[in-house]
Amino acid sequence: TPSFDKFIGTVKAGGMAFIDSTLVDGTTDRTDIKCFYIPATQLAKDMGAPTLANMILLGAIVKETGCVSAEHLEEGLRHAVPARHADLIDLNIQALELGKNYTQA
C-alpha cells in the first residue's frame, strides 16, 4: 500500500496500472488512467505456487496491452528458464494464463 500510494500519481494520464489487490488496500480515485486490481498473490497461493504472482500480473498486462504475443512470451520463457528448472515452465505458463483470463468483479 505505501508503494501504491507513492507511485500511483506517477502514472501518466491515459496510462494503465496493474495492482496486486491482495497486497494493496484501497483504490485510486483517478479517472484519467485505467486500473486493473488483480488478487495475484492470492491466486498464486491458490494454485500452489505463491512465488508466481508476478507471472499472473504479467499475463494480465499482456492481455490488456498486447505488448507481446502469447507465442513470443512462451518462447522467451522457455529461453530464459534454466534447464535445471524446466519443470517450472508449465507452471509459469499456467500462471500467465490465469492472469490473462482473470476478470475483475
Side-chain angles (χ1 to χ4, degrees):
T1 302
S3 293
F4 171 78
D5 292 340
K6 181 177 181 179
F7 294 109
I8 193 65
T10 66
V11 179
K12 291 183 180 181
M16 297 179 183
F18 293 83
I19 299 109
D20 185 341
S21 59
T22 305
L23 304 176
V24 174
D25 295 325
T27 60
T28 183
D29 57 359
R30 289 188 60 184
T31 58
D32 62 332
I33 62 173
K34 186 159 184 168
C35 291
F36 299 89
Y37 297 93
I38 302 159
T41 296
Q42 186 59 54
L43 291 170
K45 287 178 184 176
D46 291 348
M47 70 180 286
T51 60
L52 294 183
N54 59 338
M55 296 303 284
I56 292 171
L57 287 170
L58 180 58
I61 291 168
V62 168
K63 173 188 172 188
E64 297 299 332
T65 67
C67 62
V68 65
S69 71
E71 295 81 22
H72 283 117
L73 184 58
E74 185 174 333
E75 180 183 322
L77 183 63
R78 292 185 186 284
H79 180 75
V81 173
R84 69 181 183 278
H85 295 298
D87 58 315
L88 300 177
I89 291 174
D90 288 339
L91 195 57
N92 277 270
I93 292 170
Q94 288 174 9
L96 288 168
E97 289 298 318
L98 187 58
K100 287 192 316 191
N101 295 323
Y102 182 79
T103 54
Q104 296 186 84

